[in-house]
């Protein structure tokens, strides 16, 4: 179960030749699932030991985006047990899209603009701008 | 087309657009789309509904109005997944598309989810442009994005071979995660194949806010909750303005330019409005349709008039010439063939509508009113200036109509025959059900949420009970205390359903509206066909009202239950009297028949039985056929709104004098006492005053009845006046006549239609007067029909002095039967709730072999299930088999039934005998059979009638208010006939059971409600104004028996009315005396509210 970050990164995210939508048919769903199941570092949520401290999903996290007068933007977030403040410059917006969905479920409804950005230091993260509240959320760590 | 150097988006048009006619995959109406495109400054717009062209006629009409060039196409679901978009670049493409859609829709396994095999699509590529489908769910993008590039390559090569230069790789960006990457993959494929790319937006709704409706419709059409299959987290599939498309495809300007180029190629290339596709008739060698029609018309004229001379010859010649010039002879022959098929099979058939204006129709046996004596004018039906096809409607016995339709379909198979579709939209109530299901409510919850939500109903011209949204609906008395009043809890449901109301959900079938192909084009080249729920019955995708636009005449074969009833009444009367009684050939001017009509007790009479017509019968006092024609014409929304009834009645009674502006108008208006009742009279007025021909007169009538704009009307007025003046009519008088005619023309009714109905009305009244038992038995057997519930009809049977005999398993027929020499009716088996046709047949067959000895014997020998057997007991059919031999022993019979084993399903019915109940269970129930214990005391009359009500929905024993006579008197209730005689201004109290609540259009436009109740003495109509309705209306919707306090009005002009001041629940008022078995109120088309009728009956 133990694997290094680089091992995880080396593992292809989808079977060769696959492109989104990955789950168009039952056949492609199965192919993707089997591909991921072959990864040594991946576990089923149901197989995780209770109380082991292992996380089975990542949480959305509040973030701040600072824009400076010179046009530069920074992602500011608190992390760690001591809630240290980390600040990273947004080098480039790689991609952006809209997510509108699950509007019929009050707790899970989504209406936001998502930006995939490259941060200084090389991390790629997904930042979402909530349409209703205008808040920024860190919704994913891609790389 | 403007030059391309003005920018990549110049000339851009959306070429992949779904409307509500995609039935579950689109939201906006074609008109909304065309208007929005026009407002965005787009010059063209395509409509590409999923697997069909259903919305095309409306789209073309709307696009013409909005100044947008329409592009015709379809989104074709391809076998193997995904879709391709096909666009027609001319009539060849249109015909290819029609043939293609017909072929794959008719050969798909699941008619609701048709799939087109790719080879079939390739065979029909002529005249079509092909787009490879939207990203990511298009046919080609699916292959590319799932890694099947080899298959994608093969498909693209095959498509290129078939479509050549007309193949484009479609690019769409739904702005979901990865959409740019996916588009990049598809673009790369296009580059490898050297194919042009084309930008679309896969439009499914008008604006981003409509994405919720789209999601709900997709879920509803797949009968699932949200999210439906293929759900995407996007709100971007809307009709984007050009600027947004430019922003989206700024890096691919060629894709936008190609969209503009294809739009230019296809826009306006298909014209459906130019030609009328008259069906071809079957002719013997060498015979022409014109020759055959003339021969048959002359033959018919000789039969009906004994000669073909004078005015008959002249008129036949004129009509035949016009029919020939317009090329409609085969259509008449086709209609005649339908009528002949019906007659050969002993089925009654009559015509309706303006076709009865034609002497040719009359001579062919299509219509019954004699044209000369009824002043019917051919020009009202058709003439040389009319560009639209004539409309012949035939009424047939509703039970056997399909026989005629199927025979015609068989005979004309080579040209193609199909029925018309009906594009069904959701009412507010329907929208609540659809939205609630999508939002995950349980079925019982959906019922509770949708109950009492006001519904609306339409006739051809208008919507009744129109509600513009929830604000109005929730304020309706029907919704007092309704769960949806909790707006916080049901906010989302209210929002979604409110916006869904009026949207398309699915296509229905107009079972009798037949459309035919001809020798030039098979029907599948004129419009796409699709299968219906009935095997071998095909449906044209166009709505019945859109066929005229597409130039496809429709032959309506309508099922009329009055024909079913009249036919059966004739058979029963002939059997009893031993003489042939033909209800369709009653003696004319029968005094007893008119005397009965004048009493106003017309329940069961065709067109004369509504409360309004009953009231009018008493006021008008018809004595001859022309009076009936006028009576039927007068009680219509138009004449009522125009207040034509009162002057007509007063003048007929001699209580009001009238004059006409010109002496020439005297002969035209004499028969209707100076009131312009009939549309035909407008033609005659134009003729006698201004010297117009009758055909020109019809042009004027049509202009007056359809909104042609003030400019057109002014020109028409000037023409009328100048021609009248040239004939010596004073200018002022000519103007007065025109204005007067114009004011009345909008309210007029076709005399031909009224005369056709009056024939049937007279026939039904004759049978009701002379053979009441047979006629009313037939009416009860033809249910559901007419204005009244079977309960009210049966009570009327009792009121006119006939006996109602109880149900009996050995004596009852399948339906109601007359007994005792036409003085009694016996309840039929098919009124027993839950009794299937098969079970009914088995009872009739087995009892002819040997009578039933017990419930167990019946149960063993027949196909009656345990539930139905219980209902037979409750309905009193098995009273003779009970231990007491009468109704008192029903409890014991029910106990016997309760221990019977359930019958196995049909697949396991190979055992010879049913097993007996388990001995232990039998011993437990033994007491029941021995009639011991308080539960098995003799049934009271009240319990007996409650049981019968539950099983039969009829009051067999007595009227349900009979036992409360004393109590009602104690409450101060006056019987309904006595209220009719009370002086003006008297306050009175009435009580009765709900029959219907209507809200007809009024002259003022203010809502007025007419409540029809039934007490022991008869039917009684009360008037409820808005204030009282708002205060007490909830009682009307929630209960079925009422106590009405009100005031009598005896108006010299309008006669009697009872104005309700207070409505109360009768059961509550009678609480001490007992509980009235009251009908349940249910919304109904045609009536705002109606006593609930059971829909399905056995047999």
């Amino acid at each position: 179960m133990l694997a290094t970050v680089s091992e995880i990164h080396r593992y292809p995210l989808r079977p060769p030749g696959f492109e989104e939508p990955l789950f168009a048919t039952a056949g492609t769903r199965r192919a993707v699932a089997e591909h991921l199941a072959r990864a040594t570092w991946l576990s089923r949520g149901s197989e995780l030991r209770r109380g082991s401290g292992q996380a089975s999903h990542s949480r959305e996290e509040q973030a701040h985006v600072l824009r400076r007068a010179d046009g530069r933007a920074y992602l500011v977030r608190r992390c760690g047990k001591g809630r240290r403040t980390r600040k990273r410059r947004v080098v480039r917006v790689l991609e952006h899209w809209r997510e509108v969905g699950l509007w019929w479920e009050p707790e899970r409804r989504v209406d936001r603009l998502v930006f995939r950005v490259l941060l200084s230091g090389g991390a790629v993260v997904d930042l979402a701008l909530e349409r209703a509240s205008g808040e920024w959320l860190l919704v994913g760590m891609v790389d | 087309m403007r030059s391309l150097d003005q920018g990549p988006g110049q000339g851009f048009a959306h070429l992949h657009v779904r409307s509500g006619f995609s039935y579950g995959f689109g939201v906006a109406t074609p008109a909304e789309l065309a208007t929005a495109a026009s407002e965005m400054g787009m010059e063209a717009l395509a409509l590409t509904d999923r697997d069909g062209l259903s919305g095309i006629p409306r789209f073309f009409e709307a696009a013409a109005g909005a100044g947008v060039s329409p592009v015709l196409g379809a989104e074709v679901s391809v076998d193997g997944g995904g879709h391709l978009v096909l666009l027609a670049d001319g009539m060849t493409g249109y015909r290819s598309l029609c043939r293609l859609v017909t072929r794959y829709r008719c050969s798909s396994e699941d008619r609701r989810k048709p799939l087109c095999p790719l080879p079939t699509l390739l065979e029909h590529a002529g005249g079509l442009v092909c787009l490879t489908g939207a990203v990511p769910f298009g046919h080609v993008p699916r292959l590319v994005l799932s890694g099947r590039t080899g298959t994608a390559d093969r498909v693209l090569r095959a498509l290129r071979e078939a479509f050549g230069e007309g193949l484009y790789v479609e690019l769409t960006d739904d702005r979901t995660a990865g959409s740019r990457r996916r588009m990049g993959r598809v673009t790369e494929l296009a580059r490898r194949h050297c194919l042009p790319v084309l930008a679309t937006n896969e439009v499914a709704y008008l604006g981003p806010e409509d994405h919720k409706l789209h999601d709900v419709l997709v879920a509803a059409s797949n009968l699932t909750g949200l999210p439906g299959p293929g759900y995407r987290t996007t709100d971007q599939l809307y009709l984007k303005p050009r600027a947004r498309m430019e922003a989206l495809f700024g890096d691919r300007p060629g894709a936008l330019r190609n969209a503009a180029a294809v739009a230019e190629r296809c826009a306006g290339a298909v014209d459906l409005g130019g030609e009328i596709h008259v069906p071809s008739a079957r002719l013997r060698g060498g015979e022409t349709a014109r020759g055959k029609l003339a021969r048959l018309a002359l033959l018919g004229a000789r039969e009906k008039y004994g000669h073909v001379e004078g005015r008959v010859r002249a008129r036949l010649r004129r009509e035949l010439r016009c029919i020939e010039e317009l090329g409609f002879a085969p259509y008449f022959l086709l209609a005649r063939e339908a009528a002949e098929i019906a007659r050969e099979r002993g089925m009654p058939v009559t015509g309706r509508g303006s076709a009865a204006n034609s002497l040719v129709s009359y001579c062919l046996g299509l219509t019954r009113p004699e044209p000369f004596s009824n002043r019917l004018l051919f020009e009202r039906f058709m003439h040389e200036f009319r560009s639209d096809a004539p409309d012949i409607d035939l009424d047939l016995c509703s039970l056997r109509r399909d026989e005629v339709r199927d025979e015609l379909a068989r005979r004309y198979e080579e040209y193609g025959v199909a029925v018309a579709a009906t594009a069904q939209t959701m009412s507010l109530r329907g929208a609540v059900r659809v939205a609630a299901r999508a939002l995950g409510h349980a079925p019982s919850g959906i019922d509770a949420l949708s109950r009492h939500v006001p519904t609306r109903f339409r006739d051809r011209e208008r919507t009744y009970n129109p509600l513009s949204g929830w604000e109005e609906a929730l304020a309706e008395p029907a919704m007092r205390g309704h769960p949806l009043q909790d707006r916080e809890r049901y906010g989302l449901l209210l929002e979604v359903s409110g916006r869904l109301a009026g949207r398309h959900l699915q296509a229905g079938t107009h079972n009798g509206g037949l459309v035919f192909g001809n020798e030039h084009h098979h029907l599948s080249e004129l419009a796409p066909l699709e299968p219906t729920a009935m095997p071998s019955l095909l449906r044209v995708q166009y709505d019945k009202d859109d066929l005229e636009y597409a130039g496809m005449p429709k032959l309506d074969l309508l099922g009329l239950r009055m024909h079913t009833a009249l036919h059966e009444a004739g058979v029963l009367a002939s059997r009893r009297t031993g003489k042939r009684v033909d209800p369709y050939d009653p003696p004319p001017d029968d005094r007893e028949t008119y005397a009965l009509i004048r009493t106003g007790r017309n329940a069961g009479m065709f067109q004369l039985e509504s409360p309004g017509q009953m009231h009018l019968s008493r006021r008008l006092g018809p004595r001859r056929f022309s009076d009936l024609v006028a009576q039927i014409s007068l009680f219509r929304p138009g004449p009522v709104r125009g207040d034509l009834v009162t002057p007509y009645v007063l003048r007929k009674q001699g209580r009001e004098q009238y004059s006409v502006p010109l002496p020439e108008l005297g002969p035209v208006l004499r028969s209707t006492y100076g009131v312009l009742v009939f549309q035909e009279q407008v033609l005659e007025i134009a003729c006698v005053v201004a010297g117009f021909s009758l055909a020109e007169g019809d042009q004027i009538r049509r202009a007056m009845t359809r909104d042609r704009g003030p400019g057109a009307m002014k020109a028409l007025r000037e023409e009328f006046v100048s021609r009248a003046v040239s004939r010596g009519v004073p200018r002022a008088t000519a103007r007065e006549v025109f204005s007067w005619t114009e004011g009345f023309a909008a309210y007029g009714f076709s005399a031909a239609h009224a005369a056709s109905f009056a024939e049937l009305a007279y026939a039904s009244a004759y049978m009701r007067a002379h053979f009441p038992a047979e006629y009313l038995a037939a009416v009860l057997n033809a249910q559901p029909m007419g204005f009244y519930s079977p309960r009210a009809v049966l009570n009327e049977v009792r009121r006119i002095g006939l006996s109602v005999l109880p149900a009996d398993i050995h004596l009852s027929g399948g339906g109601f039967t007359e007994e005792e020499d036409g003085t009694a009716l016996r309840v039929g088996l098919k009124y027993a709730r839950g009794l299937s046709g098969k079970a009914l047949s088995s009872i009739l067959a087995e009892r002819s072999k040997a009578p039933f000895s017990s419930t167990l014997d019946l149960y063993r020998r027949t196909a009656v299930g345990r539930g139905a057997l219980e209902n037979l007991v409750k309905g009193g059919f098995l009273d003779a088999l009970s231990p007491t031999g009468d109704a008192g022993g029903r409890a014991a019979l029910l106990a016997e039934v309760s221990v019977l084993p359930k019958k196995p399903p049909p697949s396991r019915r190979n055992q010879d005998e049913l097993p007996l109940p388990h001995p232990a269970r039998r011993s437990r129930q033994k007491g029941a059979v021995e009639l011991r214990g308080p539960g098995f005391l003799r049934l009271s009359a009240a319990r007996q009638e409650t049981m019968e009500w539950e099983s039969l929905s009829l009051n067999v024993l007595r009227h349900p208010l009979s036992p409360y006579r004393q109590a009602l008197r104690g409450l101060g209730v006056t019987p309904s006939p006595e209220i009719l005689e009370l002086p003006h201004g008297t306050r009175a109290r009435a009580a009765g059971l709900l029959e219907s609540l209507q809200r007809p259009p009024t002259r003022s436009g203010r809502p007025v409600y007419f409540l029809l109740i039934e007490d022991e003495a008869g039917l009684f109509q009360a008037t409820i104004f808005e204030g009282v309705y708002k205060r007490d209306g909830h009682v009307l919707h929630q209960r079925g028996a009422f106590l009405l306090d009100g005031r009598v009005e005896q108006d010299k002009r309008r006669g009697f009315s009872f104005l309700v001041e207070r409505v109360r629940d009768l059961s509550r008022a009678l609480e001490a005396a007992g509980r009235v078995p009251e009908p349940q109120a249910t919304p109904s088309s045609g009536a705002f509210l109606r006593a609930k009728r059971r829909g399905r009956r056995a047999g």
Side-chain angles (χ1 to χ4, degrees), chain A residues 17 19-20 98 100-103, chain B residues 145 147 175 182 185 215 235:
Chain A
E19 188 52 89
E20 287 172 0
R98 243 178 92 56
V100 182
L102 302 174
W103 50 267
Chain B
L145 300 176
R175 297 193 60 201
R182 292 192 289 272
R185 293 278 301 271
D215 295 345
D235 62 350

Side-chain angles (χ1 to χ4, degrees), chain B residues 515-740:
Chain B
V515 191
F516 300 80
N518 57 33
E519 57 204 6
H520 308 295
H521 295 292
H522 189 269
L523 184 61
S524 63
E525 291 182 344
L526 299 175
L529 313 180
E530 61 190 16
T532 62
M534 277 173 274
S536 78
L537 181 67
L538 295 180
R539 177 169 73 195
V540 175
Q541 286 194 329
Y542 296 156
D543 180 86
K544 60 184 170 48
D545 296 328
D546 296 337
L547 290 168
E548 186 182 328
Y549 181 87
M552 298 165 72
K554 170 166 59 71
L555 178 65
D556 270 330
L557 304 180
L558 306 167
L560 190 67
R561 288 194 175 255
M562 180 47 69
H563 273 321
T564 313
L566 275 176
H567 183 69
E568 189 187 346
V571 171
L572 291 175
S574 302
R575 193 182 297 158
R576 181 172 64 81
T577 59
K579 291 183 293 184
R580 184 169 181 273
V581 177
D582 183 0
Y584 294 93
D585 190 21
D589 300 325
D590 182 69
R591 294 167 71 93
E592 286 176 56
T593 302
Y594 283 109
L596 176 62
I597 295 173
R598 286 195 298 272
T599 63
R601 301 190 63 167
N602 302 350
M605 291 183 199
F606 185 67
Q607 292 286 315
L608 300 178
E609 64 172 348
S610 72
Q613 281 286 10
M614 285 191 187
H615 186 48
L616 189 57
S617 296
R618 284 192 290 268
R619 291 170 70 199
L620 201 62
R623 289 177 184 277
R624 57 187 73 85
F625 186 72
S626 60
D627 293 342
L628 278 187
V629 177
Q631 185 177 339
I632 285 173
S633 305
L634 282 169
F635 204 76
R636 300 276 158 185
V640 168
R641 274 205 306 275
D643 195 23
L644 308 188
V645 182
T646 305
Y648 185 95
V649 171
L650 292 177
R651 292 170 190 184
K652 182 174 185 300
Q653 292 170 345
R655 289 158 58 198
E656 183 179 287
Q657 296 303 309
Y658 74 93
S659 61
V660 289
L662 279 172
E664 293 92 323
L665 292 175
V668 178
L669 298 171
R670 188 173 299 130
S671 65
T672 53
Y673 308 98
V675 179
L676 207 162
V677 177
F678 303 121
Q679 294 169 347
E680 285 77 355
Q681 288 173 319
V682 177
L683 277 64
E684 287 195 89
I685 289 171
C687 184
V688 299
V689 176
F692 283 93
S693 69
L694 289 172
E696 288 172 324
D698 188 58
Q699 297 284 87
I700 290 181
R701 179 194 67 81
R702 285 162 69 85
M704 285 173 172
T705 51
R706 298 175 184 199
D707 190 11
R708 294 287 161 89
M713 282 313 293
K714 191 180 172 198
L716 211 58
R717 176 191 295 267
E718 281 168 8
E719 172 76 6
F720 182 93
V721 171
S722 68
R723 285 172 73 165
V725 168
S726 71
R727 288 164 61 90
V729 177
R731 184 172 292 277
T733 311
R735 281 193 180 135
E736 183 193 339
V737 170
F738 187 87
S739 301
W740 180 74

Side-chain angles (χ1 to χ4, degrees), chain B residues 882-938:
Chain B
S882 76
T884 58
D886 59 18
R890 278 185 208 169
L893 289 177
L894 286 173
E896 281 180 26
V897 172
S898 68
V899 297
L900 289 173
K902 259 193 165 179
K903 281 189 175 171
S907 56
R908 286 172 44 213
R909 277 186 196 158
N910 50 3
Q911 53 204 54
D912 292 336
E913 278 201 356
L914 287 162
L916 285 170
H918 190 276
R921 200 159 176 217
R922 268 194 297 164
S923 66
R924 273 205 306 278
Q925 298 290 337
K926 206 173 171 187
V929 182
E930 289 176 6
L931 292 176
R932 283 211 303 248
F936 303 105
L937 291 173
R938 287 182 64 82

Side-chain angles (χ1 to χ4, degrees), chain B residues 1067-1082:
Chain B
S1067 288
R1068 181 173 285 184
L1070 286 172
E1071 211 159 25
R1075 186 165 177 76
V1076 183
E1078 56 189 71
Q1080 192 183 335
T1082 184

